[in-house]
Short mmCIF file of all heavy atoms in Angstrom, two decimals:
data_model
loop_
_atom_site.label_atom_id
_atom_site.label_comp_id
_atom_site.label_asym_id
_atom_site.label_seq_id
_atom_site.Cartn_x
_atom_site.Cartn_y
_atom_site.Cartn_z
N LEU A 136 -16.61 23.32 3.91
CA LEU A 136 -17.64 24.27 4.34
C LEU A 136 -18.78 24.32 3.32
O LEU A 136 -18.64 23.87 2.18
CB LEU A 136 -17.04 25.67 4.51
CG LEU A 136 -15.91 25.77 5.54
CD1 LEU A 136 -15.37 27.19 5.60
CD2 LEU A 136 -16.39 25.33 6.91
N ASP A 137 -19.91 24.87 3.77
CA ASP A 137 -21.06 25.02 2.89
C ASP A 137 -20.78 26.18 1.94
O ASP A 137 -20.64 27.32 2.36
CB ASP A 137 -22.29 25.33 3.76
CG ASP A 137 -23.55 25.45 2.91
OD1 ASP A 137 -23.44 25.41 1.66
OD2 ASP A 137 -24.63 25.60 3.50
N ARG A 138 -20.69 25.88 0.66
CA ARG A 138 -20.29 26.90 -0.31
C ARG A 138 -21.46 27.40 -1.14
O ARG A 138 -21.28 28.02 -2.18
CB ARG A 138 -19.20 26.34 -1.23
CG ARG A 138 -18.00 25.84 -0.44
CD ARG A 138 -16.88 25.39 -1.32
NE ARG A 138 -17.22 24.24 -2.13
CZ ARG A 138 -17.23 22.98 -1.69
NH1 ARG A 138 -16.96 22.72 -0.43
NH2 ARG A 138 -17.53 21.99 -2.50
N ARG A 139 -22.69 27.16 -0.67
CA ARG A 139 -23.85 27.66 -1.42
C ARG A 139 -23.97 29.17 -1.24
O ARG A 139 -23.70 29.70 -0.16
CB ARG A 139 -25.13 26.97 -0.92
CG ARG A 139 -25.24 25.52 -1.38
CD ARG A 139 -26.42 24.85 -0.73
NE ARG A 139 -26.32 24.95 0.73
CZ ARG A 139 -27.34 24.75 1.55
NH1 ARG A 139 -28.53 24.47 1.06
NH2 ARG A 139 -27.18 24.85 2.86
N LEU A 140 -24.41 29.82 -2.29
CA LEU A 140 -24.44 31.28 -2.29
C LEU A 140 -25.59 31.83 -1.45
O LEU A 140 -25.41 32.73 -0.63
CB LEU A 140 -24.55 31.76 -3.75
CG LEU A 140 -24.27 33.22 -4.00
CD1 LEU A 140 -22.88 33.60 -3.53
CD2 LEU A 140 -24.41 33.52 -5.49
N ALA A 141 -26.79 31.31 -1.66
CA ALA A 141 -27.98 31.93 -1.06
C ALA A 141 -27.95 31.97 0.47
O ALA A 141 -28.15 33.04 1.05
CB ALA A 141 -29.24 31.25 -1.57
N PRO A 142 -27.69 30.84 1.15
CA PRO A 142 -27.69 30.92 2.62
C PRO A 142 -26.64 31.89 3.15
O PRO A 142 -26.86 32.56 4.16
CB PRO A 142 -27.34 29.49 3.06
CG PRO A 142 -27.57 28.64 1.88
CD PRO A 142 -27.39 29.49 0.67
N ALA A 143 -25.51 32.00 2.43
CA ALA A 143 -24.43 32.90 2.87
C ALA A 143 -24.86 34.35 2.70
O ALA A 143 -24.74 35.16 3.61
CB ALA A 143 -23.17 32.62 2.05
N VAL A 144 -25.38 34.68 1.52
CA VAL A 144 -25.72 36.06 1.21
C VAL A 144 -26.88 36.54 2.07
O VAL A 144 -26.94 37.71 2.46
CB VAL A 144 -26.03 36.19 -0.30
CG1 VAL A 144 -26.71 37.50 -0.59
CG2 VAL A 144 -24.75 36.07 -1.10
N LEU A 145 -27.79 35.64 2.39
CA LEU A 145 -28.95 36.03 3.21
C LEU A 145 -28.68 35.81 4.70
O LEU A 145 -29.52 36.11 5.54
CB LEU A 145 -30.18 35.23 2.79
CG LEU A 145 -30.60 35.48 1.34
CD1 LEU A 145 -31.73 34.57 0.93
CD2 LEU A 145 -31.00 36.94 1.14
N ARG A 146 -27.49 35.29 5.00
CA ARG A 146 -27.10 35.09 6.40
C ARG A 146 -28.16 34.34 7.18
O ARG A 146 -28.58 34.75 8.26
CB ARG A 146 -26.82 36.44 7.05
CG ARG A 146 -25.47 36.48 7.73
CD ARG A 146 -25.19 37.80 8.36
NE ARG A 146 -24.77 37.65 9.75
CZ ARG A 146 -23.68 37.01 10.13
NH1 ARG A 146 -22.89 36.45 9.26
NH2 ARG A 146 -23.38 36.93 11.41
N LEU A 147 -28.58 33.23 6.63
CA LEU A 147 -29.59 32.41 7.30
C LEU A 147 -29.00 31.81 8.57
O LEU A 147 -27.78 31.69 8.71
CB LEU A 147 -30.06 31.29 6.36
CG LEU A 147 -30.64 31.77 5.02
CD1 LEU A 147 -31.07 30.59 4.16
CD2 LEU A 147 -31.81 32.71 5.25
N ALA A 148 -29.89 31.41 9.48
CA ALA A 148 -29.45 30.93 10.79
C ALA A 148 -28.45 29.78 10.65
O ALA A 148 -27.44 29.73 11.34
CB ALA A 148 -30.65 30.49 11.62
N GLY A 149 -28.73 28.85 9.74
CA GLY A 149 -27.85 27.70 9.55
C GLY A 149 -26.46 28.14 9.14
O GLY A 149 -25.45 27.64 9.66
N ALA A 150 -26.39 29.09 8.23
CA ALA A 150 -25.09 29.58 7.75
C ALA A 150 -24.33 30.25 8.89
O ALA A 150 -23.12 30.09 9.01
CB ALA A 150 -25.30 30.56 6.59
N ARG A 151 -25.06 30.99 9.72
CA ARG A 151 -24.40 31.68 10.84
C ARG A 151 -23.82 30.66 11.82
O ARG A 151 -22.70 30.81 12.31
CB ARG A 151 -25.41 32.56 11.59
CG ARG A 151 -25.70 33.87 10.90
CD ARG A 151 -26.07 34.94 11.90
NE ARG A 151 -27.23 34.57 12.70
CZ ARG A 151 -28.48 34.84 12.35
NH1 ARG A 151 -28.74 35.46 11.22
NH2 ARG A 151 -29.48 34.48 13.11
N ARG A 152 -24.59 29.60 12.08
CA ARG A 152 -24.13 28.59 13.02
C ARG A 152 -22.90 27.88 12.46
O ARG A 152 -21.90 27.69 13.15
CB ARG A 152 -25.26 27.60 13.29
CG ARG A 152 -25.05 26.77 14.56
CD ARG A 152 -26.08 25.67 14.66
NE ARG A 152 -26.05 24.81 13.50
CZ ARG A 152 -27.07 24.63 12.66
NH1 ARG A 152 -28.22 25.25 12.87
NH2 ARG A 152 -26.96 23.82 11.63
N ARG A 153 -22.97 27.50 11.17
CA ARG A 153 -21.84 26.79 10.56
C ARG A 153 -20.59 27.67 10.53
O ARG A 153 -19.49 27.20 10.74
CB ARG A 153 -22.21 26.34 9.14
CG ARG A 153 -23.17 25.16 9.11
CD ARG A 153 -23.33 24.63 7.68
NE ARG A 153 -24.02 25.58 6.82
CZ ARG A 153 -25.34 25.63 6.68
NH1 ARG A 153 -26.12 24.80 7.34
NH2 ARG A 153 -25.90 26.52 5.89
N GLU A 154 -20.80 28.97 10.30
CA GLU A 154 -19.68 29.90 10.26
C GLU A 154 -19.01 29.98 11.64
O GLU A 154 -17.78 29.97 11.75
CB GLU A 154 -20.18 31.28 9.81
CG GLU A 154 -19.14 32.38 9.79
CD GLU A 154 -18.15 32.26 8.64
OE1 GLU A 154 -18.35 31.41 7.74
OE2 GLU A 154 -17.16 33.01 8.66
N ALA A 155 -19.83 30.03 12.69
CA ALA A 155 -19.27 30.10 14.05
C ALA A 155 -18.49 28.84 14.36
O ALA A 155 -17.39 28.89 14.94
CB ALA A 155 -20.40 30.31 15.05
N GLN A 156 -19.03 27.69 13.96
CA GLN A 156 -18.32 26.42 14.18
C GLN A 156 -16.99 26.41 13.45
O GLN A 156 -15.96 26.00 13.98
CB GLN A 156 -19.16 25.24 13.68
CG GLN A 156 -20.22 24.78 14.67
CD GLN A 156 -21.19 23.82 14.01
OE1 GLN A 156 -21.08 23.51 12.82
NE2 GLN A 156 -22.16 23.35 14.79
N ALA A 157 -17.03 26.89 12.19
CA ALA A 157 -15.82 26.89 11.37
C ALA A 157 -14.75 27.77 12.01
O ALA A 157 -13.57 27.42 12.05
CB ALA A 157 -16.14 27.37 9.96
#
Side-chain angles (χ1 to χ4, degrees):
Chain A
L136 300 179
D137 182 354
R138 304 184 295 281
R139 286 173 304 163
L140 194 58
V144 166
L145 298 174
R146 232 180 129 62
L147 302 180
R151 282 209 302 271
R152 198 188 57 241
R153 286 189 292 272
E154 177 74 8
Q156 278 168 359

